[in-house]
Amino acid sequence: MATSSAATSSIDMSTTILIRVDQSGRGGFKKIQDAIDSVPSNNSKLYFIWVKPGTYREKIVVPADKPFITISGTKASNTIITWSDGGEIFQSATFTVMASDFVGRFLTIENTYGSAGKAVALRVSANRAAFYGCRILSYQDTLLDDTGNHYYSSCYIEGATDFICGNAASLFERCHIHSLSTGNGAITAQKRVSSEENTGFTFLGCKITGVGKAVLGRPWGPYSRVVYALTYMSGLVLPQGWNDWHDYAKHTNVYYGEYKCYGPGADRSNRVAWSLSLSENEAATFLTKDTIGGRAWLRPAPSNFKRGASATIAARTDENN
């Protein structure tokens, strides 16, 4: 898990260094990756990379030695990061986050590889990462929510097969989860491997829709943990709700819970016996940001900006394009 070079408490959270990305040449950089590369290694200041509207055909990596970066569009609908790559789950991602204390805002991140195999749009392999108002699109393994504590707020996540997967501890709040599965695909494949791990996916106040039928999750790891709370479920959700991935032994170890969900897909009368209808007390731990320790690390949008990335750097970047 990536760690930051400076304690979060020592960072000035009110002021950030602003870097502009604009394909027209009016910003510091034309490419998002070039803007990321301009941030000093082991930085101890906030950097805000503002991406002007456009379609950016890039395969992006935020390296582990560059914490405290925000990458923000204005609207996800007009700020699109796109690539097409498939095959290997850890290498195919359009956008990879390895650095701690990362924030993504108002971006579309997509992998257009299609339905031929594994094709990750977003890989998050770092601690303390948050995404607000983003659209994350692919087909299989769309969001590789790999490791760390993560927060997704008002995001739209689309795919067909295991399209939210990994072993992070993540809270999805007010997100729209849309399945493209036409058969019996799974929305989640959570990979918790022991009862000692404090990982799992929580969907709080979300909306589940789709074009066919799907289950809420299946166990990538033997102690897989997923909870849906106060969430709307359309008729997409199959009556059994969950799948054991043909491994009956996992019935006694997985933690698959539902709490006060509603809609035609929330009917638990035919759910598998090894899933849980949570009581108010059992659900309480999943209903706040405390489930990811969020009160200690989630930061507000900055209010003060300082200029970064000089014109000289931008000119040098343009020459290399």
Side-chain angles (χ1 to χ4, degrees):
M1 184 180 299
T3 58
S4 98
S5 59
T8 304
S9 59
S10 68
I11 301 294
D12 178 3
M13 293 295 174
S14 66
T15 302
T16 187
I17 298 170
L18 177 63
I19 300 173
R20 292 182 174 89
V21 177
D22 188 340
Q23 290 175 322
S24 71
R26 296 176 183 175
F29 299 93
K30 289 185 176 180
K31 294 183 178 180
I32 299 169
Q33 188 65 59
D34 290 340
I36 295 167
D37 292 346
S38 76
V39 175
S41 294
N42 304 312
N43 59 286
S44 58
K45 297 179 180 179
L46 296 183
Y47 279 81
F48 191 99
I49 299 174
W50 180 28
V51 183
K52 299 297 290 292
T55 298
Y56 295 81
R57 301 187 186 282
E58 301 187 50
K59 191 176 174 75
I60 291 171
V61 176
V62 184
D65 64 348
K66 298 193 177 186
F68 301 107
I69 289 177
T70 294
I71 299 179
S72 179
T74 303
K75 293 191 301 183
S77 60
N78 63 20
T79 311
I80 300 166
I81 301 167
T82 184
W83 198 255
S84 178
D85 197 359
E88 210 287 321
I89 189 170
F90 285 97
Q91 303 301 322
S92 63
T94 298
F95 197 119
T96 298
V97 179
M98 305 295 289
S100 65
D101 299 284
F102 176 85
V103 176
R105 293 181 178 272
F106 313 125
L107 303 167
T108 289
I109 301 168
E110 66 177 15
N111 190 329
T112 60
Y113 186 75
S115 60
K118 301 171 183 176
V120 175
L122 173 63
R123 172 188 171 188
V124 189
S125 298
N127 198 19
R128 302 186 297 275
F131 296 83
Y132 301 88
C134 290
R135 299 172 71 244
I136 306 165
L137 314 174
S138 187
Y139 192 85
Q140 182 172 346
D141 302 334
T142 301
L143 171 57
L144 176 52
D145 200 46
D146 182 30
T147 184
N149 293 292
H150 306 153
Y151 179 61
Y152 300 85
S153 175
S154 301
C155 292
Y156 175 89
I157 306 169
E158 181 180 280
T161 305
D162 305 329
F163 65 96
I164 302 175
C165 58
N167 195 23
S170 296
L171 174 60
F172 299 81
E173 190 166 18
R174 298 184 302 277
C175 291
H176 183 176
I177 312 301
H178 186 73
S179 173
L180 299 176
S181 170
T182 56
N184 58 352
I187 293 172
T188 65
Q190 207 280 330
K191 201 183 179 183
R192 185 168 173 251
V193 297
S194 83
S195 61
E196 304 303 313
E197 286 191 303
N198 188 27
T199 62
F201 302 156
T202 299
F203 297 86
L204 177 60
C206 293
K207 178 168 68 172
I208 310 295
T209 63
V211 300
K213 295 292 183 180
V215 292
L216 296 169
R218 60 180 182 168
W220 189 5
Y223 288 81
S224 181
R225 179 161 63 180
V226 181
V227 170
Y228 291 85
L230 306 173
T231 287
Y232 171 80
M233 298 180 179
S234 74
L236 160 91
V237 180
L238 286 162
Q240 63 266 32
W242 307 87
N243 180 287
D244 62 11
W245 221 327
H246 309 295
D247 186 351
Y248 298 112
K250 291 178 180 176
H251 291 188
T252 58
N253 295 328
V254 299
Y255 189 99
Y256 287 157
E258 299 169 56
Y259 175 71
K260 289 189 176 180
C261 295
Y262 60 101
D267 181 359
R268 285 192 47 80
S269 59
N270 291 305
R271 286 291 195 262
V272 293
W274 39 274
S275 70
L276 303 170
S277 180
L278 301 180
S279 68
E280 184 174 351
N281 286 339
E282 290 169 331
T285 187
F286 301 103
L287 301 182
T288 73
K289 295 180 179 64
D290 291 341
T291 189
I292 55 168
R295 297 181 195 277
W297 61 268
L298 286 170
R299 62 182 187 262
S303 54
N304 299 306
F305 295 85
K306 292 181 179 179
R307 179 177 294 182
S310 70
T312 301
I313 294 175
R316 215 166 36 236
T317 302
D318 290 347
E319 291 172 358
N320 294 329
N321 287 345

